[in-house]
Amino acid sequence: MKIAIASANPVKINAVKRVFQPIYPQARFISVPVDSSVKPQPTSDKETQLGAKNRCLKALTKAQADMAVGLEGGIMQLNGQTYSTAWAAVADKTGRLCFGGGMHFLLPPRFIRALRRGQELGEIIDQLTGQKNQKTHSGAVAVFTRHLTTRTAEYTHLVKLAMVKFRRPDLYLA
């Protein structure tokens, strides 16, 4: 079985492997960086989910894989507040597609101002921490929670949620 991961980001690759390796121990994983066809910083759950879907389906086709996973982070508004958000999409070559979403955490006002000026959350976190490319390491969620969780742990959770149709297809029959 070949599983395409729609990214070269080690956080996303590790998250997918953590979920899939125990289920498919003989699987081959292939990193397939593809464009999301959404803004670099999606600004709604709808747009973020679409980015995950686009990545997933493009990687599935490009790699001619049995399954593919796309992950996308973004921001969203709820009750006048701005939150980080993320979505995972899992698809297989038969056409099944499923999503898992979440990782909502409140962003502080100074971050929101920088986002409105066009910066991406990853860039802002790099400036705050003085470290480079935090999104390929523990991520913003680790900075905000003082390492109670990491981007890899949260993306792993989202991939697990996106597996529901594949783990319990009997519950999703029409």
Side-chain angles (χ1 to χ4, degrees):
M1 169 175 277
K2 186 192 315 184
I3 299 169
I5 304 167
S7 181
N9 184 327
V11 166
K12 295 178 180 185
I13 292 168
N14 290 332
V16 172
K17 286 182 175 180
R18 284 183 183 182
V19 176
F20 279 80
Q21 282 177 330
I23 301 168
Y24 307 106
Q26 302 303 319
R28 280 187 312 122
F29 296 90
I30 180 168
S31 168
V32 185
V34 291
D35 184 74
S36 67
S37 299
V38 298
K39 293 182 288 207
Q41 181 70 76
T43 55
S44 69
D45 265 335
K46 182 178 180 179
E47 184 181 15
T48 306
Q49 185 188 59
L50 178 60
K53 176 184 174 183
N54 291 344
R55 287 183 191 278
C56 178
L57 296 178
K58 286 178 183 182
L60 184 70
T61 300
K62 187 174 181 180
Q64 297 181 346
D66 298 294
M67 295 182 83
V69 182
L71 289 149
E72 186 75 18
I75 60 171
M76 50 91 69
Q77 302 290 315
L78 182 65
N79 298 323
Q81 306 229 325
T82 303
Y83 292 84
S84 176
T85 189
W87 282 89
V90 176
D92 69 11
K93 64 183 179 183
T94 70
R96 279 188 298 180
L97 173 68
C98 194
F99 298 96
M103 202 171 84
H104 300 135
F105 59 92
L106 185 64
L107 297 174
R110 72 178 184 168
F111 283 71
I112 297 162
R113 288 190 293 274
L115 289 166
R116 287 186 182 139
R117 289 192 303 269
Q119 283 188 277
E120 291 182 45
L121 183 57
E123 295 172 70
I124 301 165
I125 292 297
D126 287 352
Q127 291 168 359
L128 175 71
T129 63
Q131 297 174 350
K132 189 176 179 181
N133 219 2
Q134 268 298 108
K135 67 182 180 180
T136 64
H137 300 290
S138 56
V141 70
V143 172
F144 284 104
T145 65
R146 290 192 184 254
H147 294 274
L148 286 175
T149 191
T150 64
R151 194 171 191 221
T152 301
E154 295 301 317
Y155 277 176
T156 299
H157 181 69
L158 299 181
V159 174
K160 289 176 182 178
L161 296 176
M163 289 293 290
V164 296
K165 281 186 181 179
F166 301 93
R167 300 295 289 165
R168 289 299 307 266
D170 57 308
L171 298 177
Y172 294 91
L173 297 172

